[in-house]
Amino acid sequence: MTTFITKRIYEDASPDDGWRVLVDRLWPRGVSKEKADLDEWAKDLAPSTDLRKWFGHKPERFEEFAQRYVAELEANPDAPDTIAGWREHDRVTLLYGARDETHNEAVVLKDYLESRRVGAS
């Protein structure tokens, strides 16, 4: 079973990270591709530009942001294949650039992935 964790892209990469996936639509400022040490950039699974701008990382909007983001994930035709690929790894680190470690898209995505383990291989 795959373990999903979240981590800021600004933290150093670790062998314990497993498969490293950036889940932001925009490349994080000040991070070189070498430092990012990514296996994948899943920008097509990131929140839409409109949703990201509406959220603005305002904690009071997080619950509605999460609901809207999950709706986007469920409507995304690329999501099932991408997620199935992640489930082939023992550990997947969902990387994000936000300063807020509690209210960001990686947290929502991790919860989404963990809540849908039934039927996952």
Side-chain angles (χ1 to χ4, degrees):
M1 185 180 309
T2 303
T3 300
F4 293 98
I5 62 168
T6 61
K7 184 175 181 179
R8 286 194 78 217
I9 189 86
Y10 299 99
E11 295 177 44
D12 290 335
S14 163
D16 294 338
D17 290 343
W19 188 256
R20 291 172 51 88
V21 181
L22 177 62
V23 296
D24 283 347
R25 189 165 295 273
L26 302 175
W27 190 262
R29 289 184 183 164
V31 176
S32 68
K33 293 195 181 199
E34 293 77 27
K35 182 176 182 339
D37 193 21
L38 294 182
D39 294 300
E40 184 177 348
W41 182 10
K43 60 184 167 184
D44 292 336
L45 264 60
S48 66
T49 299
D50 287 344
L51 180 56
R52 181 181 50 80
K53 287 180 178 180
W54 171 83
F55 174 44
H57 295 284
K58 295 178 181 173
E60 65 273 14
R61 291 185 177 174
F62 184 71
E63 187 174 324
E64 185 173 348
F65 165 77
Q67 292 171 357
R68 290 183 184 188
Y69 180 32
V70 166
E72 287 185 355
L73 287 167
E74 290 181 342
N76 186 331
D78 297 326
D81 288 341
T82 301
I83 292 167
W86 294 347
R87 293 195 188 279
E88 294 176 7
H89 303 280
D90 291 332
R91 187 173 182 99
V92 175
T93 298
L94 305 171
L95 300 161
Y96 62 93
R99 287 189 183 108
D100 188 331
E101 296 181 8
T102 308
H103 304 100
N104 63 67
E105 68 277 6
V107 170
V108 176
L109 182 56
K110 178 180 183 280
D111 288 345
Y112 175 82
L113 296 166
E114 290 176 343
S115 70
R116 283 149 182 83
R117 285 197 187 279
V118 176
S121 44

